Amino acid sequence: MFGQAFAPAKVNLFLHVGPPGAEGYHPLCSLMVFADVGDRVSLAPAEAMDFALTGTFARDLAADGDNLVQRAALAMLQAVRAPRSPVMLALDKQLPVAAGLGGGSSDAGAALRLLRAAWAPDMSDARLQDLAASLGADGAACLWGAPVLAEGRGERLSPAPDLPVMPAVLVNPRVASPTGAVYGRFDALGAFGDVTPPPTPEAFETVEEVAGWVSLLRNDLEAAAVQIAPEIGDVLNALRGEPETLVAQMSGSGATCFALCASDIEAEQLAEGLERLRPDWWVRRCRLGGPWPDPA
């Protein structure tokens, strides 16, 4: 009934964003994959509902009742509409905050999976996905941590093409890239993209094939994010200048960027080189794909 769940980092292999509609929301099209690095959420019996926050980036995420793990618990309580045994939810925050990695949405998804097992094991996957979607645009996509093509506001999901496990490096310059500010600058620039899904094969055999395809696509928020946080441009230049990098892009609204590499060895070499060059950056070698197993 109780245990831990993995909350993987989300990476947008591409992100095409259109002009805002009448309600102010931007349509998008994005292929989301997930890394084998992320946060951890745990659930344990308690005398009263409680929440604990630990981890490298805990101090950047205030435990003030407004983070997505606590909002997920409230949504689940409202959904089951019956008294439930109190629990302690704990979040081990290892991903940077406001980083374009969907950390909050992934944390919420992990919490929802644990809470369903504890409180509502008969709840359907569809109902759980609705709850996740109610918590934010990335909520539904991040619930299961599996590659998915997202459209609309992020709520229209369809299967991703078959993908290989992709060696990669994630780099964040340890600056925030707030989504609202990036979209505000994006609107001011007016460089809206076409959100029609790009031509995509049913399956990719190698990471080189994926990289070649990604190189033809884009992240429409990149220019706006770089204006707000020029350090993002420094990261992209550094990644794109290294021989181990097959392709490099920004994820989400930034500030994290990723590089695909041909092998784990090359990803490790790239990560180690960047760590020596910029010890002030957050650098993680990883694999992209998903879903990844929950910890034992």
Side-chain angles (χ1 to χ4, degrees):
M1 179 180 294
F2 302 102
Q4 297 184 61
F6 182 48
K10 175 268 307 177
V11 171
N12 302 87
L13 290 184
F14 72 87
L15 177 57
H16 298 170
V17 184
E23 297 181 358
Y25 292 100
H26 295 75
L28 60 83
C29 182
S30 181
L31 181 59
M32 301 181 185
V33 296
F34 294 84
D36 61 356
V37 298
D39 301 331
R40 296 285 191 278
V41 179
S42 61
L43 190 71
E47 294 184 359
M49 289 294 297
D50 203 356
F51 175 71
L53 181 60
T54 61
T56 304
F57 293 96
R59 64 181 181 182
D60 296 333
L61 186 68
D64 59 3
D66 192 38
N67 72 70
L68 281 170
V69 168
Q70 291 170 286
R71 288 168 58 188
L74 179 60
M76 181 62 81
L77 279 171
Q78 293 173 339
V80 297
R81 296 188 178 184
R84 289 293 183 267
S85 300
V87 295
M88 160 72 82
L89 274 168
L91 171 61
D92 178 17
K93 191 66 184 170
Q94 296 296 325
L95 295 176
V97 176
L101 295 174
S105 294
S106 195
D107 295 341
L112 287 173
R113 298 196 309 270
L114 288 169
L115 290 166
R116 177 175 69 169
W119 288 345
D122 294 331
M123 179 179 287
S124 69
D125 286 353
R127 178 61 179 131
L128 194 69
Q129 188 161 306
D130 287 342
L131 288 180
S134 74
L135 297 172
D138 286 345
C142 290
L143 175 61
W144 309 115
V148 67
L149 181 72
E151 298 178 80
R153 298 177 186 174
E155 84 287 356
R156 285 170 33 211
L157 306 179
S158 54
D162 291 339
L163 295 163
V165 173
M166 296 169 282
V169 176
L170 304 179
V171 182
N172 183 286
R174 294 185 185 268
V175 298
S177 182
T179 300
V182 171
Y183 270 97
R185 187 63 56 87
F186 177 64
D187 288 343
L189 292 173
F192 305 118
D194 179 5
V195 295
T196 304
T200 307
E202 292 184 1
F204 293 93
E205 296 295 330
T206 67
V207 65
E208 287 87 353
E209 290 180 1
V210 178
W213 180 71
V214 170
S215 70
L216 302 175
L217 305 172
R218 62 194 186 276
N219 183 330
D220 287 331
L221 299 180
E222 180 182 311
V226 169
Q227 285 192 11
I228 289 174
E231 295 89 344
I232 296 171
D234 297 338
V235 171
L236 288 169
N237 288 336
L239 288 173
R240 290 168 179 167
E242 294 300 323
E244 297 90 351
T245 298
L246 296 175
V247 67
Q249 298 272 30
M250 186 181 79
S251 180
S253 57
T256 305
C257 303
F258 69 92
L260 298 184
C261 301
S263 69
D264 290 334
I265 292 174
E266 288 176 278
E268 184 173 4
Q269 290 172 342
L270 176 59
E272 290 177 349
L274 290 171
E275 287 171 338
R276 288 193 299 268
L277 179 69
R278 294 300 303 259
D280 53 321
W281 288 354
W282 180 85
V283 179
R284 290 293 182 277
R285 179 178 67 85
C286 68
R287 293 179 173 183
L288 299 180
W292 305 103
D294 286 330

